[in-house]
Amino acid sequence: MGEIDQSITYDFNEPVSFPFEVNEVRTEVEIINSVMQQVVFHYKNKQSTQEIRYILSKVIDKPQKLSDIGTPTVELNNGKQAYYEESETIQSIWWEEKNGFLARYVYYINGNMSNLSDFKLKKSDFIELVNQVQ
């Protein structure tokens, strides 16, 4: 009796240019309760504690839609729609990625414990990050 190959292969593009210096990178792959797959790329500056997470998540066998998150507020260069939001401590942009994944960048400083104030990024920085991986 042969083994069943349950490997999953996806090819994700990663950004190469960031709105701050990145000097620490790591990646996590999670399968949550056999229902959700999630790949998380962390891009961090250890000195300033600025961090961007590039998160790709998918409910297995059910493509996620941007409408599950909110009403699109930004148009990307390729004509796709994205949802952008910000608060005092976090900024994020969400869009639909290939293979049924919902993608997002989440930006914060000090582990999401501090106000962004002078470290706040421009909305155009997020659009540029998304355009790098499309």
Side-chain angles (χ1 to χ4, degrees):
M1 181 180 239
E3 282 189 36
I4 297 173
D5 182 8
Q6 294 185 359
S7 62
I8 302 169
T9 304
Y10 295 111
D11 185 22
F12 299 117
N13 294 326
E14 289 188 66
V16 294
S17 175
F18 296 89
F20 58 88
E21 180 185 346
V22 170
N23 53 25
E24 181 180 296
V25 177
R26 66 186 174 90
T27 305
E28 299 172 26
V29 177
E30 303 173 324
I31 296 180
I32 303 165
N33 297 328
S34 299
V35 175
M36 177 180 271
Q37 300 170 355
Q38 188 162 277
V39 179
V40 183
F41 300 92
H42 299 260
Y43 307 99
K44 184 175 184 176
N45 181 298
K46 290 189 273 186
Q47 291 74 28
S48 67
T49 70
Q50 292 172 278
E51 183 170 350
I52 288 180
R53 287 187 184 186
Y54 174 29
I55 304 168
L56 296 120
S57 58
K58 175 183 180 180
V59 175
I60 297 174
D61 297 326
K62 181 184 174 204
Q64 291 189 275
K65 300 289 180 195
L66 190 59
S67 59
D68 296 340
I69 304 304
T71 304
T73 56
V74 176
E75 185 170 323
L76 304 172
N77 288 356
N78 63 3
K80 279 188 172 182
Q81 299 293 306
Y83 172 72
Y84 173 82
E85 70 178 346
E86 63 181 59
S87 69
E88 290 182 1
T89 60
I90 197 166
Q91 290 174 276
S92 64
I93 190 167
W94 302 65
W95 71 97
E96 291 177 17
E97 191 51 77
K98 61 186 174 199
N99 298 317
F101 280 86
L102 193 60
R104 66 191 178 274
Y105 284 112
V106 179
Y107 168 72
Y108 53 87
I109 57 171
N110 193 23
N112 194 21
M113 301 297 289
S114 298
N115 193 312
L116 292 174
S117 56
D118 293 338
F119 290 99
K120 188 174 180 179
L121 301 179
K122 297 178 281 191
K123 189 186 294 187
S124 60
D125 291 331
F126 287 93
I127 294 169
E128 172 56 32
L129 283 166
V130 174
N131 289 331
Q132 289 182 53
V133 298
Q134 291 288 298

